[in-house]
């Protein structure tokens, strides 16, 4: 398995952020599959959970560590960060930034750091986004979730302008460009929980996302369909990339093949070639 993020030698870990401002979009599931893909490529990986109050990625990693006692599973170095509870907004922001910087310092020798962010606009989320080299935004395939990126007309046929989250990412990209310290953020929007039916809404959302991608500068990537297998793997901390590897773990079933192909397609869009 190979990883291709260009020929430039990195002086810092490459930071992949999973972010949007809506819950239930599949950020943590996507984060774990990216982590495992990188680990199985031989990369050293740190992971940070900025949504430690909900802690889905943290529990996923803990479940994986438990399974690793029985199976030869690679596991990331992991740090959950709780948002500051200080009364002063300024002091809380300073504590959040300090905790984040301390976590990054722990991972300074890693090849990659994968960060899962909250499904809301928080100080920690903004800090995480500001450090992204690659930003992956899972987006459920519905007009309700598309509203996160774009304001639409009443018929849902025309883009009126970027919405709140798209504007926030645009602002972070402008700040990055002004400092000139790091390369531009590579923003990838993945259409998640796609229906198998060729419905009109599905086609309309696809058309609008294509228009929006050209307008505000993100790349579109295929996401995951709504599948039971992702929920089944979570309690054991496993991913589809762990199946059928001759390690004594669960076998890859025919029902998993299509789901694994979806994972491969996403990883390839990000720049990671998954195992055969």
């Amino acid at each position: 398995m190979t990883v291709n993020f260009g020929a430039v030698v990195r002086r810092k870990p490459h930071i992949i952020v999973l972010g949007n401002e809506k819950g239930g979009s599949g950020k943590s599931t996507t984060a774990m599959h990216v982590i495992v893909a990188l680990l199985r490529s031989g990369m050293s990986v740190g992971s940070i959970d900025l949504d430690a109050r909900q802690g889905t990625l943290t529990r996923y990693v803990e479940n994986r560590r438990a399974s690793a006692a029985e199976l030869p599973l690679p596991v990331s170095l992991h740090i959950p960060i709780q948002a500051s509870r200080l009364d002063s907004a300024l002091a809380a922001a300073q504590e959040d930034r300090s905790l984040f910087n301390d976590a990054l310092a722990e991972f300074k020798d890693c090849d990659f750091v994968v960060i899962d962010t909250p499904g809301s606009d928080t100080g920690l989320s903004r800090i995480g986004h500001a450090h992204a080299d690659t930003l992956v935004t899972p987006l459920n395939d519905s007009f309700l979730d598309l509203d996160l990126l774009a304001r639409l007309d009443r018929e849902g046929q025309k883009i009126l302008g970027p919405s709140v989250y798209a504007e926030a990412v645009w602002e972070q990209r402008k700040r990055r460009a002004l400092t000139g310290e790091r390369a531009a953020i590579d923003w990838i929007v993945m259409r998640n929980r796609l229906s198998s039916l060729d419905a009109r809404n599905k086609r309309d959302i696809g058309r609008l996302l294509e228009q929006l991608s050209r307008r505000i500068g993100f790349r579109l990537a295929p996401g995951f369909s709504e599948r039971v297998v992702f929920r089944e793997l979570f309690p054991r901390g496993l991913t589809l990339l762990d199946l059928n590897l001759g390690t004594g773990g669960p076998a890859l079933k025919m029902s998993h093949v299509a789901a694994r192909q979806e994972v491969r397609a996403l990883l390839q869009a990000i720049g990671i070639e998954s195992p055969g």
Side-chain angles (χ1 to χ4, degrees), residues 164-203:
V164 55
Y165 182 71
E167 290 176 345
V169 173
W170 180 257
E171 185 63 29
Q172 292 292 355
R173 294 171 113 181
K174 282 197 302 182
R175 290 179 183 176
R176 176 75 63 87
L178 288 173
T179 63
E181 294 178 358
R182 305 180 70 165
I185 299 172
D186 179 22
W187 187 14
I188 300 168
V189 173
M190 55 178 282
R191 294 178 67 185
N192 224 13
R193 299 196 167 114
L194 288 166
S195 167
S196 59
L197 300 176
D198 185 26
R200 176 182 173 181
N201 279 3
K202 180 179 176 181
R203 296 194 303 271

Side-chain angles (χ1 to χ4, degrees), residues 248-269:
L252 183 68
K253 301 177 182 177
M254 287 300 297
S255 59
H256 300 158
V257 172
R260 188 167 179 175
Q261 185 55 43
E262 290 175 350
V263 173
R264 285 177 178 169
L266 171 64
L267 294 172
Q268 185 176 21

Side-chain angles (χ1 to χ4, degrees), residues 143-144 146-147 150-161 200-201 204 207-208:
F143 282 108
L144 181 63
L146 181 58
D147 184 65
R151 293 180 291 107
L152 304 177
D153 66 1
R154 294 179 62 181
E155 287 73 34
Q157 296 295 310
K158 183 179 179 181
I159 296 171
L160 301 179
R200 176 182 173 181
N201 279 3
D204 286 345
R207 174 180 56 80
L208 291 167

Side-chain angles (χ1 to χ4, degrees), residues 33 60 228-240 243:
H33 278 78
Y60 210 152
V228 175
V229 62
F230 292 112
R231 294 192 291 273
E232 292 176 338
L233 293 172
F234 174 82
R236 298 189 64 183
L238 299 177
T239 71
L240 286 159
L243 305 185

Side-chain angles (χ1 to χ4, degrees), residues 10-52:
R10 295 189 303 273
R11 295 183 179 180
K12 299 179 180 179
H14 187 99
I15 299 176
I16 301 175
V17 173
L18 280 296
N20 63 20
E21 292 180 8
K22 288 187 76 70
S25 62
K27 291 192 299 293
S28 300
T29 297
T30 306
M32 182 57 90
H33 278 78
V34 169
I35 289 166
V36 172
L38 291 168
L39 288 169
R40 291 201 174 280
S41 75
M43 299 292 174
S44 56
V45 182
S47 54
I48 299 176
D49 189 349
L50 296 182
D51 193 12

Side-chain angles (χ1 to χ4, degrees), residues 80-153:
I81 299 179
Q82 289 276 5
S84 174
R85 297 183 179 179
L86 295 176
D87 292 334
S88 165
L90 178 60
Q94 291 174 339
E95 183 176 51
D96 284 344
R97 188 169 298 279
S98 177
L99 290 171
F100 183 87
N101 289 338
D102 288 346
L104 277 190
E106 289 289 321
F107 299 146
K108 67 181 187 302
D109 295 324
C110 288
D111 297 307
F112 289 86
V113 176
V114 178
I115 300 175
D116 193 17
T117 63
S120 58
D121 179 25
T122 69
L124 274 175
S125 180
R126 290 192 294 272
I127 292 169
H129 279 71
H131 285 76
D133 295 307
T134 301
L135 171 62
V136 180
T137 299
L139 189 77
N140 290 339
D141 212 51
S142 72
F143 282 108
L144 181 63
D145 287 75
L146 181 58
D147 184 65
L148 186 74
L149 296 182
R151 293 180 291 107
L152 304 177
D153 66 1

